[in-house]
Every structure is written in C-alpha cells, then in structure tokens.
Amino acid sequence: MCIFIWTPLLTLSGAFLIHYRTGLRIHRLAMANKALDEMSRVDPLSKLLNRRAFLDAFAQRTEDAILIVFDIDFFKQVNDRHGHAVGDEVIETVASIIRRVFDHATDVVCRLGGEEFGVLSQGGQLEDDYRRADRARAETIRHEFAAGDQTFFVTLSGGMAHAGAGVAFEAAFKRADMAMYAAKQRGRNLILRPQFDDVREA
C-alpha cells in the first residue's frame, strides 16, 4: 500500500529535482555569459568602458551631447623613463580622476586606447562640461607619482566637440580629436572647447 502511495510522490520529487537542477544550470550559464559580456566591454587596466562599449553608448544616445577626448601628454616618456608598470599606474590614476569628475548618471567614460580617454556627456551644458574637463586636467597635474626615489607629474590635454543626435561618431570624434591636438600644439596641459577657446589654470 505504501508503495503505491509514495512512488508517485518520489517520481514527482525526482522530476522537480531534475527541473530545479536544469534551471539552476541555465541560470548559472546565463550569469556567466552576462559576466563575460560585461568583461568584454570593460578595459581591464583602467576599469573604464572600452572603445566598443563607448561606440555602443554613443549610438544609443537619445539627446544632444558633448564628446570630450583626453590624452596624457608625453606618455611615451613616462614608459621610457620609468617603465611600463609605472605607466600603467599613471593610466589607472588618470582614469580614476576622469571617472570621479564625470560622475553624472548620463556620463559615459571610456579608455579609447593607449593613453587616450573619451567622455560622452549627455543633456548637460557646454560650460559645465568645460569646467569639469578642466577640473580633470587640474587634478591630474596636481597628482604626484613616484618611481623609485624619483617623483614626477603628468599633464592632460583635451578637446571637445558637439555630438548632436544626428552626428556620426566619426565626425564628432574627428572634431574633438582635432581640438585636442590643437591644445597640444598650443603648449599642452590645456582643454579646448569646440570654438578652440582655452583655459589654463594651475
């Protein structure tokens, strides 16, 4: 009698256990795939978004924005004089400074590659973005780095460009990049607006 009572229950229990384990495996696989996708969108050194993720964010913007391109001045000299480990520390520190300054929910910050960083500021005002870009520049030059018994400082140059809803990334990036290189030609440690106005403060 007990056999006829418990056998269906055991069968149901076994089926539930199989479904539960299968569901758990599927969930774990989905979580692992999500983690891998997130890892593929993050630069491992700076912990910022990488260029691919930045391009996706740019394409998905829903309002006018400002694109800012930053570049660490004379970065090759840092690697040549102090080694790549110190160079990596510089990149990590500058990335942290930019991320701390551009902390609005709609800000997108990335490492474009090498010593170059990008910021997409959405829905803000040009002057506010300009002040924040210059604050990132000022905080960078004030940070003291150590390499053995030596200390040194680095500077940051940047260029800004309007990135309206209908503007392609290549067009906006070209303008911001040109402004950034113009800042370098004018002495570095400088941020240039789209109109090539400049600010330089200690």
Side-chain angles (χ1 to χ4, degrees):
M1 186 71 174
C2 290
I3 293 174
F4 291 105
I5 293 173
W6 286 105
T7 297
L9 293 176
L10 289 172
T11 301
L12 287 172
S13 177
F16 172 79
L17 190 58
I18 290 170
H19 284 297
Y20 172 77
R21 286 176 174 170
T22 301
L24 189 60
R25 289 194 191 99
I26 292 171
H27 175 72
R28 286 174 176 168
L29 181 62
M31 292 299 291
N33 287 336
K34 182 180 178 182
L36 285 172
D37 182 63
E38 289 176 354
M39 286 174 61
S40 73
R41 297 170 60 80
V42 174
D43 173 64
L45 178 60
S46 67
K47 304 300 185 291
L48 300 177
L49 294 179
N50 58 24
R51 189 184 185 96
R52 167 197 161 194
F54 191 68
L55 290 174
D56 288 345
F58 189 93
Q60 293 168 14
R61 72 194 188 285
T62 56
E63 53 191 331
D64 287 349
I66 296 294
L67 175 64
I68 308 168
V69 175
F70 293 103
D71 189 84
I72 302 172
D73 298 321
F74 300 115
F75 182 72
K76 185 178 184 301
Q77 292 183 14
V78 174
N79 280 333
D80 291 345
R81 292 176 181 174
H82 306 294
H84 289 278
V86 174
D88 287 351
E89 181 187 347
V90 170
I91 287 174
E92 289 175 305
T93 300
V94 174
S96 177
I97 290 170
I98 295 172
R99 175 68 275 181
R100 186 169 65 248
V101 171
F102 288 91
D103 61 349
H104 296 177
T106 54
D107 291 337
V108 183
V109 184
C110 84
R111 182 184 180 197
L112 290 169
E115 67 273 24
E116 194 171 57
F117 304 90
V119 174
L120 182 67
S121 174
Q122 303 175 79
Q125 298 296 318
L126 174 62
E127 288 305 312
D128 176 60
D129 291 334
Y130 184 40
R131 284 190 293 270
R132 290 196 294 159
D134 189 59
R135 183 153 64 96
R137 178 206 61 78
E139 289 190 21
T140 297
I141 195 174
R142 291 185 185 124
H143 187 92
E144 186 176 22
F145 292 94
D149 59 353
Q150 297 180 335
T151 60
F152 67 96
F153 298 86
V154 299
T155 59
L156 193 66
S157 294
M160 305 174 66
H162 292 287
V167 176
F169 175 79
E170 293 78 9
F173 178 79
K174 182 178 180 181
R175 290 198 295 271
D177 199 49
M178 287 175 61
M180 185 266 292
Y181 274 103
K184 288 182 177 290
Q185 291 170 358
R186 290 170 63 169
R188 295 178 169 81
N189 186 30
L190 195 64
I191 305 297
L192 291 185
R193 292 185 183 93
Q195 296 84 4
F196 284 9
D197 294 335
D198 67 90
V199 60
R200 186 201 304 272
E201 300 173 358

